[in-house]
């Protein structure tokens, strides 16, 4: 090589080597190489260095020096085989284009867009007279091209110029490899430093007891992207978004993420989604471990997130997971202690120790109390049993709804039920308390149904009791409401014990006793109906519903009053009674109510089977 290079070119090659060894910024190195090469190659009026971008599948100009407009020239992006540079790249060897004819033929491969850029980059009074393009090879693979351009007819490239360009191409390959190693190390250090800084700040938040939402707000402020935290069943636990992110978009992300969370296997996944005609990158990072998932952290970004940010977020997930485990442990301990208290309280075993425990839990023994039972059944599951995660989430929902209106509430899980103790000041009117609790129950029921359509929710509410000493009676009454809702058709699935009238009589007696009573009072009429298929029993029911008003009953049945009078007379004959006598009429009214409830229960059980 030394025999074919001039003394000046050898000095230039040494200078290029010194630049590579003294600098790490690849753009600076390329500019220095290009300037040095043009200065020692007499025929070169300009030149460029092109590097192949794998992602774009294009040759990108990294340096452009000489008698043209580099800011325009560097917008050109070449495919393999396009122009002199692309032809050399495809051939993986140094090529020289000796005259304008060869150059014109090579330039004909340019796309119209690239040709327009080239024409605007080269002044109109300049023309290529000859061109050298030499590949940059790394381990036998072409990774770029160095191109020198001549604009003078009197100046021609020489063999030593080709040799120099090949040697510089080798030096450029070394520079790229060295720069790549440097930037990889720098990126690793930067990534580690960034992660450590985030980790340190998050750890401080945890130590100071800031909680999950503060952690989410910090990360959101740090990376500037929309963030969502979902639990292990895909329920949204916390979020931190810009104000532009709408409720509808949040609901869409919740539905989208629910499917991913349940099947997430890797530490993180990256994909693209479209929201409101805008494309976002969505990064899903798992929380917890494969053996025990705690959910996922979701980041929604309009820009592609760097590996540094994702690595930092993975470190952040460790802190979030620890905080979730801590919250869960605290919550379970509270639930165990409260569960023991409620179980003993509702058993009626009141003593001084229990009263003291109530005071420790901020429950005044002299306030007014009401018991509420929320019962759940999975309509899609034959065993009607709900999963542990779902029950835990239902408990969170119940606590949130009930605490929203009352500062003194305790809700605990008991198998497939949530048992709640609500406290009110003794000066609050009973009618207000009943109305408020029923409204709370309906709101909670609707919220649960909206989120879990497969769950059947029944809510039983006991009567108001003065002081903790008698609160177990309210619990028994709430339980009777749940029992009634399970066995009988009722218009609403939120039932207060005060709503029950004759139904209390039903709950306190066996089905055999109830049927005996019905037969004693209505037996002859029921038998008559079964044998004749008449309308007397239904007429009696409507007559009693209309408070024995002849005209209203006739209108309701769409019959003449004479027809109604005949039917009523026939009923009295069959039952051997007088419908104007208050005592037998009371028994008939009671029997009718019980008969309808039992009939509705039989229909309900038949439908379930």
């Amino acid at each position: 090589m030394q025999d074919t290079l001039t003394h000046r070119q050898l000095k230039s090659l040494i200078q290029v080597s010194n630049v590579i060894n003294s600098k790490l910024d690849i753009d600076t190195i390329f500019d220095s190489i290009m300037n040095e090469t043009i200065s020692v190659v007499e025929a070169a009026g300009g030149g460029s260095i092109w590097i192949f971008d794998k992602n774009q599948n294009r040759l990108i100009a990294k340096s452009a020096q000489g008698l043209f407009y580099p800011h325009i020239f560097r917008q050109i992006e070449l495919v393999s085989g396009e122009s002199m540079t692309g032809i050399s790249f495809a051939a993986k060897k140094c090529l020289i284009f000796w005259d304008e004819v060869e150059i014109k033929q090579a330039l004909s491969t340019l796309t119209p867009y690239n040709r327009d850029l080239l024409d605007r980059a080269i002044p109109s009074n300049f023309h290529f007279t000859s061109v050298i393009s030499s590949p940059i090879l790394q381990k036998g693979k072409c990774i770029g091209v160095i191109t020198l351009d001549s604009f003078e007819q009197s100046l021609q490239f020489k063999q030593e110029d080709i040799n120099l360009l090949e040697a510089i191409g080798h030096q450029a390959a070394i520079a790229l490899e060295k720069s790549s190693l440097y930037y990889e190390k720098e990126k690793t250090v930067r990534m580690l430093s960034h992660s450590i800084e985030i980790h340190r700040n998050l750890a401080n938040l945890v130590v100071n007891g800031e909680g999950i939402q503060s952690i989410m707000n910090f990360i959101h402020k740090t990376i500037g992207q929309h963030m969502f935290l979902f639990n292990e069943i895909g329920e949204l636990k916390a979020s931190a978004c810009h104000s532009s992110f709408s409720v509808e978009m949040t609901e869409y992300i919740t539905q989208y993420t629910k499917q991913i969370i349940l099947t997430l296997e890797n530490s993180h996944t990256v994909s693209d989604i479209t929201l409101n005609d805008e494309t976002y990158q969505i990064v899903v990072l798992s929380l917890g471990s494969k053996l025990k998932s705690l959910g996922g952290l979701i980041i929604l970004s309009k820009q592609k997130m760097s590996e540094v940010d994702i690595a930092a977020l993975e470190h952040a997930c460790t802190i979030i997971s620890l905080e979730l485990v801590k919250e869960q442990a605290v919550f379970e301990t509270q639930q165990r202690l409260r569960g023991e208290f409620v179980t003993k309280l509702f058993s009626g075993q009141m003593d001084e120790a229990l009263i003291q425990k109530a005071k420790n839990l901020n429950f005044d023994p002299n306030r007014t109390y009401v018991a509420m039972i929320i019962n759940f059944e999975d309509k899609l599951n034959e065993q009607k049993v709900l999963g542990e995660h779902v029950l835990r989430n239902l408990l969170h929902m119940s606590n949130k709804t009930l605490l929203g209106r009352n500062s003194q509430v305790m809700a605990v899980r008991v198998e497939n039920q949530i048992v709640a103790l609500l406290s009110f000041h003794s000066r609050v009117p009973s009618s207000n308390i009943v109305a408020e609790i029923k409204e709370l129950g309906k709101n909670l029921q609707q919220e649960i149904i909206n989120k879990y359509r497969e769950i059947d929710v029944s809510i039983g509410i006991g009567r108001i009791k003065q002081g903790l000493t008698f609160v177990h009676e309210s619990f028994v009454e709430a339980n009777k409401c749940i029992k009634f809702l399970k066995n009988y058709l009722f218009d609403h699935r939120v039932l207060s014990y005060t709503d029950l009238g004759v139904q209390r009589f039903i709950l306190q007696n066996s089905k055999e006793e109830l049927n005996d009573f019905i037969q004693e009072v209505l037996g002859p009429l029921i038998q008559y109906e079964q044998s004749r298929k008449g309308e007397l029993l239904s007429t009696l029911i409507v007559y009693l519903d209309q408070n024995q008003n002849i005209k209203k009953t006739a209108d309701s049945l769409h019959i003449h009053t004479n027809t109604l009078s005949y039917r009523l007379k026939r009923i009295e004959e069959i039952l051997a009674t007088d419908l104007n006598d208050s005592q037998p009429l009371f028994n008939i009214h009671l029997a009718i109510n019980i008969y309808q409830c039992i009939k509705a229960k039989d229909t309900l059980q038949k439908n379930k089977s």
Side-chain angles (χ1 to χ4, degrees):
M1 178 71 72
Q2 291 181 7
D3 295 336
T4 59
L5 294 178
T6 66
H7 179 71
R8 187 181 176 198
Q9 286 175 330
L10 282 172
K11 285 181 65 178
S12 176
L13 193 60
I14 293 170
Q15 178 63 24
V16 167
S17 179
N18 289 336
V19 168
I20 291 171
N21 290 321
S22 63
K23 298 180 180 178
L24 291 169
D25 178 61
I26 195 66
D27 292 331
T28 303
I29 291 173
F30 282 157
D31 286 343
S32 298
I33 289 175
M34 203 73 262
N35 285 326
E36 190 66 33
T37 305
I38 292 172
S39 69
V40 297
V41 176
E42 188 179 5
S48 52
I49 295 180
W50 303 75
I51 300 300
F52 184 71
D53 188 309
K54 293 180 181 178
N55 295 325
Q56 299 183 55
N57 201 30
R58 295 284 192 279
L59 285 159
I60 310 297
K62 294 295 183 181
S63 179
Q65 308 293 329
L67 303 174
F68 39 72
Y69 303 107
H71 66 284
I72 298 176
F73 186 85
R74 290 181 67 167
Q75 296 177 44
I76 299 173
E77 297 178 359
L78 303 171
V79 297
S80 177
E82 186 179 0
S83 186
M84 293 78 74
T85 299
I87 293 170
S88 176
F89 177 82
K92 292 200 291 188
K93 63 180 181 180
C94 184
L95 298 176
I96 185 166
F97 300 83
W98 292 105
D99 52 41
E100 292 185 31
V101 174
E102 291 183 8
I103 293 170
K104 184 177 181 181
Q105 185 177 358
L107 290 177
S108 68
T109 60
L110 283 169
T111 64
Y113 178 74
N114 282 338
R115 182 69 208 215
D116 177 65
L117 288 173
L118 181 64
D119 290 342
R120 288 194 288 123
I122 305 295
S124 58
N125 58 327
F126 282 89
H127 299 281
F128 294 106
T129 56
S130 58
V131 175
I132 299 177
S133 289
S134 182
I136 301 173
L137 300 173
Q138 192 177 75
K139 298 178 182 179
K141 187 175 181 180
C142 189
I143 60 172
V145 177
I146 299 178
T147 295
L148 292 180
D149 306 307
S150 176
F151 301 98
E152 296 284 342
Q153 286 283 2
S154 59
L155 298 175
Q156 291 289 323
F157 290 115
K158 303 173 184 177
Q159 182 61 46
E160 59 261 31
D161 298 333
I162 296 173
N163 295 337
L164 175 65
L165 205 59
E166 288 178 336
I168 288 176
H170 179 68
Q171 293 291 317
I174 294 172
L176 276 169
E177 185 174 14
K178 181 180 177 183
S179 176
S180 177
L181 289 171
Y182 168 76
Y183 279 113
E184 281 298 321
K185 289 181 180 178
E186 186 184 55
K187 185 172 74 172
T188 302
V189 171
R190 204 164 60 246
M191 186 185 302
L192 183 60
S193 176
H194 188 53
S195 296
I196 290 172
E197 182 64 23
I198 290 178
H199 201 84
R200 183 185 298 116
N201 289 325
L202 289 175
N204 288 335
L205 290 175
V206 172
V207 169
N208 294 328
E210 294 292 335
I212 290 293
Q213 189 57 58
S214 294
I215 292 173
M216 291 286 287
N217 292 340
F218 168 77
I219 301 175
H220 170 64
K221 185 178 179 181
T222 302
I223 67 172
Q225 308 299 342
H226 306 295
M227 298 186 57
F228 307 88
L229 179 64
F230 291 87
N231 63 15
E232 64 274 21
I233 60 172
E235 297 291 345
L236 184 62
K237 184 176 177 66
S239 64
C241 305
H242 298 303
S243 57
S244 60
F245 207 80
S246 66
V247 175
E248 291 75 17
M249 293 168 75
T250 301
E251 289 176 354
Y252 178 85
I253 288 295
T254 300
Q255 294 303 317
Y256 179 87
T257 307
K258 189 171 288 188
Q259 304 301 320
I260 299 176
I261 289 290
L262 300 176
T263 58
L264 190 62
E265 294 181 357
N266 301 322
S267 61
H268 74 270
T269 62
V270 181
S271 57
D272 293 327
I273 64 169
T274 302
L275 283 174
N276 290 353
D277 299 325
E278 290 188 288
T279 301
Y280 292 84
Q281 184 185 68
I282 182 168
V283 181
V284 184
L285 299 107
S286 63
L287 298 169
S289 64
K290 287 186 177 180
L291 294 177
K292 188 176 182 181
S293 172
L294 296 172
L297 181 66
I298 314 301
I299 298 91
L300 204 64
S301 171
K302 285 188 177 180
Q303 297 83 36
K304 184 178 180 181
M305 293 197 66
S306 68
E307 292 180 17
V308 174
D309 284 333
I310 293 176
L313 286 167
E314 286 183 324
H315 280 285
C317 284
T318 304
I319 292 289
I320 294 173
S321 297
L322 290 173
E323 184 66 13
L324 288 172
V325 170
K326 185 185 80 174
E327 282 189 3
Q328 192 172 329
V330 170
F331 179 77
E332 288 175 354
T333 301
Q334 289 176 340
Q335 280 296 298
R336 180 178 56 79
L337 295 174
R338 291 176 177 180
E340 292 172 356
F341 169 73
V342 167
T343 300
K344 191 171 182 182
L345 180 66
F346 286 165
S347 69
Q349 302 174 17
M350 181 62 68
D351 54 27
E352 287 299 323
L354 194 62
I355 290 175
Q356 186 57 49
K357 196 168 188 178
K359 291 179 179 178
N360 293 339
L361 293 169
N362 296 321
F363 281 92
D364 184 347
N366 298 316
R367 283 170 66 95
T368 299
Y369 289 92
V370 176
M372 174 188 286
I373 297 177
I374 309 160
N375 187 76
F376 307 102
E377 288 185 359
D378 189 343
K379 292 183 282 190
L380 305 179
N381 188 330
E382 290 183 4
Q383 283 74 38
K384 309 294 183 186
V385 177
L386 302 178
E388 183 70 22
H389 301 319
V390 176
L391 281 168
R392 188 184 304 128
N393 199 50
L394 288 170
L395 180 58
H396 281 296
M397 290 173 64
S398 301
N399 269 308
K400 183 179 178 181
T401 300
L402 298 176
L403 282 169
R405 296 276 292 276
N406 193 315
S407 60
Q408 290 198 337
V409 173
M410 181 183 294
V412 295
R413 265 182 54 198
V414 180
E415 297 179 349
N416 256 31
Q417 292 182 336
I418 291 174
V419 178
L421 177 65
L422 294 89
S423 172
F424 298 84
H425 198 281
S426 56
R427 290 195 295 268
V428 178
S430 298
S431 57
N432 291 5
I433 294 175
V434 172
E436 182 176 336
I437 295 175
K438 288 186 72 173
E439 186 65 24
L440 277 174
K442 289 176 183 177
N443 291 342
L444 177 59
Q445 182 194 42
Q446 192 58 53
E447 185 180 349
I448 294 170
I449 290 172
N450 289 341
K451 195 171 288 286
Y452 299 103
R453 297 191 180 277
E454 72 280 7
I455 294 179
D456 184 28
V457 185
S458 301
I459 299 179
I461 303 168
R463 287 183 293 180
I464 301 167
K465 304 296 175 182
Q466 185 63 44
L468 282 176
T469 305
F470 304 103
V471 77
H472 66 281
E473 296 174 3
S474 185
F475 170 74
V476 171
E477 292 165 354
N479 207 31
K480 285 182 178 180
C481 291
I482 295 296
K483 181 181 177 182
F484 184 84
L485 290 171
K486 282 184 177 182
N487 293 314
Y488 298 94
L489 286 172
F490 202 73
D491 292 339
H492 304 289
R493 305 302 292 170
V494 178
L495 180 62
S496 170
Y497 195 73
T498 55
D499 295 330
L500 292 173
V502 68
Q503 290 90 346
R504 296 185 197 176
F505 179 71
I506 295 173
L507 288 169
Q508 292 169 359
N509 293 275
S510 67
K511 187 175 181 179
E512 290 75 14
E513 290 174 318
L514 296 173
N515 281 325
D516 286 344
F517 177 71
I518 292 169
Q519 286 301 317
E520 288 173 10
V521 178
L522 297 175
L525 186 59
I526 293 172
Q527 291 170 8
Y528 179 87
E529 287 287 293
Q530 290 172 347
S531 62
R532 303 290 182 90
K533 295 183 180 179
E535 299 175 336
L536 297 182
L537 183 59
S538 59
T539 298
L540 177 59
I541 292 172
V542 175
Y543 177 65
L544 295 175
D545 286 342
Q546 296 296 335
N547 295 318
Q548 300 166 266
N549 186 298
I550 294 292
K551 188 177 185 312
K552 288 184 179 179
T553 304
D555 290 343
S556 181
L557 293 171
H558 305 292
I559 59 176
H560 195 275
T561 53
N562 291 340
T563 304
L564 176 60
S565 297
Y566 169 79
R567 289 184 185 180
L568 292 175
K569 184 173 179 60
R570 189 75 185 100
I571 291 169
E572 289 179 327
E573 290 173 357
I574 293 170
L575 294 179
T577 189
D578 181 359
L579 292 178
N580 293 314
D581 189 337
S582 61
Q583 184 58 47
L585 185 62
F586 173 79
N587 289 334
I588 290 171
H589 211 150
L590 182 59
I592 286 287
N593 275 282
I594 297 171
Y595 173 77
Q596 288 179 302
C597 285
I598 290 179
K599 189 176 180 181
K601 178 183 179 181
D602 292 339
T603 302
L604 181 64
Q605 290 176 338
K606 185 178 180 181
N607 291 337
K608 285 183 178 180
S609 62

